[in-house]
Amino acid sequence: MISIRKVSKKFNKLHALREIDLDFEKGKVYALIGPNGSGKTTLIKSILGLVIPSGGDILVDGESIQKSWLYREKIGYMPQTGRYPDNLQIGQLFEMMKNIRSSNQSLDEELYNFFDFALLSNKRMHTLSGGTRQKVSAALAFLFNPPILILDEPTAGLDPLAVEILKEKILQQKKAGKLIIITSHIMSDLDDLATDLVYVYEGNIIYNDTIDTLKKSTNEQRLGKAIVHLMNQNSVQQ
Amino acid sequence: MYQLDTDTSKVILSLLSILLLIVPLISGVFTTIHFYNSYEFTELMLAQPLRRETVFLAQYIAVASSLCVAFVVGVGFPTLIYGVNSSSLTLLYTGLMLTLVFVSLAFLVAVLTRDKAKAIGVTLLVWFFFSLIYDAILLWVVYAFGEYPLDKTLLVLVSLNPVDLARILMILKLDISALMGYTGALYKDFFGNYSGMLFSTSILLVWILVPVWIALRVFKKKDI
């Protein structure tokens, strides 16, 4: 689905990504993890075309994304911090997004209904709490039934009930054969959801394999512990 | 102000002095603040299947039109109610042009900088430059080269500053250019007629379009 070929990105002197090669395939849930400032967000933004790589190429469904924008039709993106214009109403926001993506795909309004946005549709964005805005972002990402979902810290700031709803939704989408990329610092969430792990450190891919393999090779039952193992190994090698 | 003085041209002149300072300041600062406040939303929009040009131009048109409407409601209606004549229309016209010029410049500053504080600072600097520093330099030039015939040079130099251009357009309409002495007569000769109006309009249009065009080019390659 998404192939990343020798992508690098430099911000002045800082190497955010160093010639990364990576393949994301459909039907899998990738957990993208790494310390703060390791290049996770840069990688996601490169896929979305928000950051323009200094070198290399990214292919979505075999087509280069350079100078192209229609490929974003296939991607549902949930940003880390959803901030919307203050006076926009929830209903207007959803209408606007439906207008932008005037595709004939069937809409997936499950999250919209779960979170009862129909009742809130006259509420203005600035009156909403951070968690509710996060729910809006989530509902928007899933609304158009896109084959690729990119979720940047989806569970941060959500209440436990909403987290469960969102996780259910992600698992359901995974079964539907979609490609899902999640970044998170909450290992227990990733443990429930993800099938594969991509560990980014200082702009390099340190680990890229299934989570089961990782658990076996480190003899750990829980993902959190296994990753601590991985990080320790990594620092020993250096 | 209309109730304080019976001479409308005096009122328009006082309005002009306020307008020349305030309009560029408000349009510039509002634009930069808006750009950075809606930064995350712009990010989300760019993650949708939309061209960058579309997002940028939509934002530009939205900001420019709302500021223009605000200007028309705030300044335009009162002046027009107290009498539609060529000077009040010129006031409206120069105000709108200045709004657009500084919205364009502020967009350029906003896409070139990375954070809000810096962007607002640079916008203020641009405003300060065109409102005060440029005039100071001009005065210095007049003072230092006073022995040479400077009329034509000054004409060119004045045209390079949108604020000065707006001011001269307005003053000429108010028939007080005689106060400016010989240079005033030259300006009247040049700007006062139809082709002068066309000339100043095209200079102002250049001031509107070139910054937007450069900003668009930068925005297309910008890392959000």
Side-chain angles (χ1 to χ4, degrees):
Chain A
M1 290 289 275
I2 302 179
S3 320
I4 296 168
R5 298 270 170 271
K6 286 206 185 318
V7 165
S8 49
K9 179 66 195 175
K10 262 175 111 173
F11 292 115
N12 294 325
K13 279 180 186 165
L14 179 83
H15 266 283
L17 297 174
R18 296 165 199 261
E19 299 215 341
I20 282 187
D21 278 300
L22 204 55
D23 279 292
F24 293 115
E25 284 155 29
K26 64 178 181 180
K28 288 187 176 178
V29 179
Y30 291 85
L32 192 59
I33 61 166
N36 301 107
S38 56
K40 296 183 306 262
T41 305
T42 310
L43 185 61
I44 286 182
K45 285 187 171 180
S46 307
I47 297 173
L48 289 165
L50 295 174
V51 165
I52 295 156
S54 341
D57 201 0
I58 297 174
L59 309 168
V60 173
D61 278 346
E63 279 173 55
S64 168
I65 63 166
Q66 282 173 22
K67 296 200 171 97
S68 145
W69 70 95
L70 282 174
Y71 77 94
R72 285 185 222 129
E73 196 108 272
K74 297 174 194 154
I75 301 178
Y77 171 54
M78 177 177 171
Q80 197 169 7
T81 48
R83 275 196 60 194
Y84 300 91
D86 282 351
N87 285 316
L88 198 68
Q89 295 169 1
I90 293 189
Q92 289 172 333
L93 177 70
F94 278 91
E95 278 311 308
M96 183 182 136
M97 290 304 240
K98 284 177 195 165
N99 251 325
I100 290 175
R101 299 202 172 203
S102 52
S103 59
N104 32 21
Q105 299 158 353
S106 58
L107 294 180
D108 178 356
E109 289 185 316
E110 206 176 290
L111 280 183
Y112 182 88
N113 296 331
F114 262 132
F115 294 142
D116 281 334
F117 285 142
L119 295 174
L120 298 171
S121 73
N122 285 327
K123 281 244 185 190
R124 294 185 188 278
M125 287 326 263
H126 69 103
T127 62
L128 302 181
S129 70
T132 316
R133 278 204 289 265
Q134 196 76 352
K135 288 182 194 170
V136 171
S137 304
L140 279 178
F142 286 95
L143 187 61
F144 299 95
N145 232 333
I148 301 169
L149 284 159
I150 298 178
L151 313 171
D152 199 353
E153 308 246 355
T155 52
L158 287 181
D159 60 66
L161 179 67
V163 170
E164 284 313 311
I165 292 174
L166 188 61
K167 277 175 158 179
E168 275 306 309
K169 187 74 193 163
I170 293 172
L171 287 173
Q172 174 211 334
Q173 295 294 306
K174 174 174 137 191
K175 284 203 190 97
K178 302 206 170 168
L179 161 59
I180 303 169
I181 302 171
I182 306 176
T183 73
S184 182
H185 292 297
I186 305 165
M187 289 307 145
S188 58
D189 286 350
L190 292 176
D191 211 353
D192 299 341
L193 299 171
T195 57
D196 284 56
L197 181 84
V198 176
Y199 187 80
V200 189
Y201 183 74
E202 289 189 349
N204 292 308
I205 305 284
I206 302 289
Y207 187 86
N208 176 17
D209 209 337
T210 63
I211 287 178
D212 290 338
T213 325
L214 176 72
K215 282 181 181 165
K216 263 179 212 149
S217 68
T218 52
N219 283 324
E220 292 286 352
Q221 287 306 307
R222 285 175 42 218
L223 180 64
K225 290 230 170 124
I227 286 168
V228 171
H229 254 279
L230 185 68
M231 287 164 119
N232 285 337
Q233 263 174 20
N234 183 33
S235 51
V236 169
Q237 277 168 15
Q238 283 179 348
Chain B
M1 275 202 281
Y2 278 97
Q3 271 131 29
L4 292 177
D5 208 312
T6 43
D7 185 0
T8 39
S9 71
K10 264 192 201 165
V11 179
I12 291 205
L13 193 66
S14 348
L15 274 179
L16 173 78
S17 331
I18 304 169
L19 185 141
L20 285 175
L21 274 179
I22 300 294
V23 163
L25 178 67
I26 303 276
S27 347
V29 172
F30 181 87
T31 305
T32 11
I33 292 178
H34 169 84
F35 185 86
Y36 277 96
N37 276 0
S38 55
Y39 201 78
E40 281 100 346
F41 191 62
T42 311
E43 193 180 307
L44 185 67
M45 283 299 106
L46 289 176
Q48 308 302 322
L50 291 171
R51 281 167 183 262
R52 283 203 174 191
E53 289 96 316
T54 322
V55 174
F56 180 81
L57 289 177
Q59 228 177 25
Y60 178 80
I61 292 168
V63 172
S65 58
S66 49
L67 281 171
C68 284
V69 168
F71 177 77
V72 169
V73 171
V75 179
F77 280 164
T79 32
L80 292 180
I81 285 169
Y82 280 94
V84 182
N85 52 30
S86 68
S87 50
S88 60
L89 286 177
T90 317
L91 184 79
L92 204 62
Y93 167 74
T94 47
L96 287 176
M97 281 308 228
L98 271 186
T99 307
L100 290 176
V101 168
F102 278 85
V103 169
S104 302
L105 287 172
F107 260 101
L108 179 61
V109 170
V111 295
L112 286 175
T113 45
R114 283 225 128 250
D115 68 308
K116 192 168 160 182
K118 201 170 164 189
I120 294 175
V122 177
T123 314
L124 284 176
L125 198 72
V126 169
W127 169 73
F128 205 62
F129 177 80
F130 283 127
S131 302
L132 291 171
I133 301 176
Y134 194 88
D135 285 357
I137 295 171
L138 220 60
L139 269 181
W140 177 79
V141 168
V142 173
Y143 200 71
F145 300 95
E147 283 151 28
Y148 301 91
L150 277 174
D151 305 331
K152 293 258 164 65
T153 331
L154 272 184
L155 198 74
V156 174
L157 285 177
V158 163
S159 317
L160 291 179
N161 181 346
V163 178
D164 279 350
L165 204 60
R167 181 181 292 137
I168 285 174
L169 272 180
M170 201 55 227
I171 286 176
L172 290 175
K173 267 285 172 293
L174 290 173
D175 278 335
I176 47 170
S177 51
L179 292 179
M180 288 157 70
Y182 178 66
T183 333
L186 183 84
Y187 286 161
K188 179 120 188 123
D189 195 33
F190 185 76
F191 287 113
N193 57 28
Y194 188 67
S195 61
M197 195 75 182
L198 213 64
F199 169 78
S200 51
T201 303
S202 45
I203 296 266
L204 284 173
L205 278 180
V206 168
W207 271 109
I208 294 169
L209 296 177
V210 170
V212 176
W213 183 70
I214 300 173
L216 181 59
R217 306 261 321 218
V218 174
F219 188 72
K220 274 170 79 176
K221 298 201 179 81
K222 190 177 160 78
D223 296 324
I224 303 297

